[in-house]
Amino acid sequence: MNVRLHDSSTQSVRAFVPADPRHVTMYVCGPTVQSGPHIGHLRGALAFDLLRRWLSQRFGRVTYVRNVTDIDDKVLQNATADEPWWALAYRIEREFTAAYEAIGILPPTYEPRATASIPQMIELIERLVARGHAYPAEGSVYFDVRSWSEYGVLTNQRPDAMDSSPDTDAGKRDPLDFALWKAAKPGEPDDARWDSPWGAGRPGWHIECSAMSRRYLGPEFDLHGGGLDLRFPHHENERAQSTAAGDGFARHWVHNGLVTVEGQKMSKSIGNVILAADLLAERDPLVVRYALAAAHYRSNLDVSAKGLDEAEAALGRIRGFVERASRLATGRDADAAHPLPEAFVAALDDDLGVPQALAVVHDTVRAGNAAVDADETDAAVAALGQVSAMTAILGLDPRDPQWRTADTSVEQEALDALVQTMIDQRARARADKDWASADRIRDAIAAAGITLEDGPAGTHWSVGHG
């Protein structure tokens, strides 16, 4: 086994070797629940869902922690008299969960909220103060960047070339120093502050992930992930405060690329931010999953109508083959375990090469369709087993019950009844040697994007799979 992943700290693809070869521990920065999820959030969560699935396949057990930042400046700013900050945070958290579930993202092993680990954050800050790497000032506590010689290692930067921290300057010794604990401000709600040795306040953003990862995974864990935009300052600060406190922290760093829309960066000022709920209302969730997974996780992904249409067509080819081969496999053990193709395994072992893995899926689909056309049942059933196994690993199996809803089931039944009526009419016309009527019915069906396939067991239909 040779799983290799790009490590952001070394800027190279290197072997991924967990401390326990049978148990991977990974922490991924989850959402700050200030407003609803957009496609960038979906893309990031999906990248680590795919990685988690593959690591489970290769190593067995994966403990996956993805946090929820439920206390933050913007969460407080977006609260209203009718919806307090904690109610807003919970509502938005549920929106994220619904969007993740819609595209088949598996729930994490643990999903801690920041507000549930305040004691652990205070303890970590106390350790940093005791070690001389943090200092209190006017009710807040700041990390002393200059005290830690490794600061900047993750992003290969020197402190002198960095921008100052956006935290308040009240009592800071150096513009680069960042807040570990924020003193309560006038006007902030009483339930958004906690007691601490330095006075009432709340944690800084960076300390939250250091404390939660330590609480759930221990002082050192195998993999830390997140979006490319989090490398600096968030992950750089996490690494600095955890290692300065004496923890080994993350052994491997993985970052996913960002999302553009029709070639432009997503921006509220431009008005091109695509909310997850809007996209999922317009497109089949499985198509959305395929489209967001089709680009390599480290590359920037451009979301466009064309790309979504291409994903729909690609899924149509997979669905069409699965339907054809399943009919041919009637009476056989079509669900028997089949080994994954070596090329598929090699692709995912090589820095989670999902595009290359999907190419193997489609190569197998083409070979399987050729076997169906040639009535080579054994080869067709074997290809079906491999396609099923590969799409299950990627969360793209079109036969998985999660992709069927009550509404689509009703629509499918209605469409099936209508098409079957036309198929029966065509069969009667052919039996009566009324070839003109039979051809007219077939042409009408084809004009609706439906393909008919005549075989010994009768006529079967599919949508867009010809």
Side-chain angles (χ1 to χ4, degrees):
M1 185 187 308
N2 184 24
V3 176
R4 302 169 70 246
L5 289 172
H6 186 271
D7 187 345
S8 299
S9 63
T10 63
Q11 287 294 293
S12 65
V13 176
R14 65 181 183 88
F16 175 73
V17 183
D20 181 343
R22 294 174 297 179
H23 180 200
V24 174
T25 51
M26 60 185 292
Y27 182 93
V28 174
C29 287
T32 298
V33 285
Q34 55 179 299
S35 58
H38 54 64
I39 54 172
H41 295 119
L42 290 187
R43 196 276 173 103
L46 178 57
F48 290 101
D49 178 67
L50 291 164
L51 178 57
R52 183 254 194 103
R53 288 169 182 261
W54 187 240
L55 294 179
S56 297
Q57 175 74 18
R58 297 303 267 159
F59 296 100
R61 180 184 174 193
V62 174
T63 297
Y64 177 34
V65 181
R66 186 185 66 216
N67 75 296
V68 174
T69 297
D70 60 340
I71 185 72
D72 175 83
D73 289 343
K74 291 183 179 179
V75 173
L76 296 178
Q77 291 167 9
N78 291 347
T80 65
D82 294 330
E83 187 175 43
W85 67 270
W86 46 267
L88 168 69
Y90 181 70
R91 176 173 64 82
I92 300 300
E93 179 186 336
R94 295 302 304 155
E95 290 183 16
F96 272 88
T97 299
Y100 292 159
E101 290 177 346
I103 63 168
I105 292 174
L106 300 174
T109 313
Y110 306 112
E111 192 169 23
R113 297 179 184 132
T115 53
S117 293
I118 302 293
Q120 288 76 15
M121 297 174 199
I122 291 174
E123 187 273 335
L124 181 53
I125 296 170
E126 287 179 320
R127 287 166 58 200
L128 288 166
V129 172
R131 284 170 166 254
H133 297 299
Y135 57 92
E138 300 184 26
S140 296
V141 182
Y142 296 96
F143 183 83
D144 185 351
V145 166
R146 304 284 181 179
S147 75
W148 189 241
S149 61
E150 293 185 14
Y151 190 78
V153 167
L154 178 62
T155 50
N156 194 28
Q157 297 184 86
R158 295 176 58 84
D160 290 338
M162 297 177 182
D163 293 331
S164 61
S165 168
D167 293 315
T168 177
D169 292 328
K172 281 209 298 188
R173 297 175 184 171
D174 188 295
L176 294 178
D177 295 349
F178 57 89
L180 303 173
W181 186 260
K182 296 184 175 183
K185 299 175 184 177
E188 290 183 344
D190 290 340
D191 57 4
R193 62 183 68 186
W194 289 261
D195 291 332
S196 81
W198 316 283
R202 55 188 170 86
W205 177 31
H206 314 299
I207 200 69
E208 295 177 351
C209 288
S210 285
M212 286 186 283
S213 61
R214 190 180 203 280
R215 181 180 185 183
Y216 290 91
L217 298 176
E220 185 175 66
F221 53 95
D222 296 317
L223 187 151
H224 194 316
L228 190 63
D229 55 331
L230 297 180
R231 285 183 67 226
F232 187 86
H234 187 46
H235 289 168
E236 188 72 71
N237 290 355
E238 279 186 56
R239 182 187 183 281
Q241 63 202 9
S242 290
T243 53
D247 292 344
F249 205 50
R251 294 157 52 91
H252 207 114
W253 290 85
V254 176
H255 291 91
N256 65 274
L258 305 181
V259 168
T260 57
V261 177
E262 302 286 355
Q264 289 186 304
K265 181 179 179 181
M266 277 200 302
S267 169
K268 290 183 179 179
S269 61
I270 298 176
N272 67 342
V273 175
I274 300 178
L275 297 179
D278 293 341
L279 180 61
L280 291 169
E282 296 173 0
R283 295 280 187 162
D284 178 347
L286 183 55
V287 169
V288 174
R289 182 180 178 95
Y290 189 105
L292 296 180
H296 191 270
Y297 79 91
R298 284 198 290 121
S299 66
N300 285 342
L301 170 66
D302 187 56
V303 176
S304 65
K306 178 182 178 183
L308 289 162
D309 289 344
E310 290 172 349
E312 186 169 10
L315 273 169
R317 291 190 290 273
I318 296 172
R319 283 180 167 132
F321 165 67
V322 168
E323 291 171 6
R324 297 183 76 209
S326 295
R327 292 195 297 268
L328 196 61
T330 301
R332 292 170 175 262
D333 188 5
D335 294 322
H338 289 265
L340 294 168
E342 291 183 4
F344 180 86
V345 173
L348 293 181
D349 273 351
D350 186 12
D351 197 25
L352 198 68
V354 172
Q356 293 79 10
L358 285 172
V360 178
V361 173
H362 286 286
D363 286 345
T364 309
V365 164
R366 282 189 287 272
N369 273 323
V372 173
D373 293 339
D375 203 24
E376 296 174 354
T377 303
D378 290 344
V381 171
L384 174 62
Q386 289 187 322
V387 168
S388 297
M390 290 187 284
T391 54
I393 289 289
L394 298 173
L396 294 170
D397 184 353
R399 295 188 298 178
D400 192 308
Q402 69 177 319
W403 304 121
R404 290 183 62 85
T405 65
D407 289 342
T408 58
S409 296
V410 171
E411 292 173 359
Q412 182 72 18
E413 290 174 5
L415 179 61
D416 184 58
L418 290 172
V419 175
Q420 195 59 53
T421 296
M422 297 183 74
I423 289 174
D424 292 343
Q425 292 173 347
R426 173 174 171 262
R428 285 196 295 271
R430 296 176 71 183
D432 294 339
K433 295 184 170 33
D434 184 358
W435 307 118
S437 294
D439 289 344
R440 186 169 59 252
I441 294 169
R442 185 182 187 103
D443 290 345
I445 293 173
I450 295 171
T451 300
L452 299 183
E453 187 173 352
D454 297 317
T459 300
H460 300 278
W461 67 272
S462 58
V463 178
H465 299 157

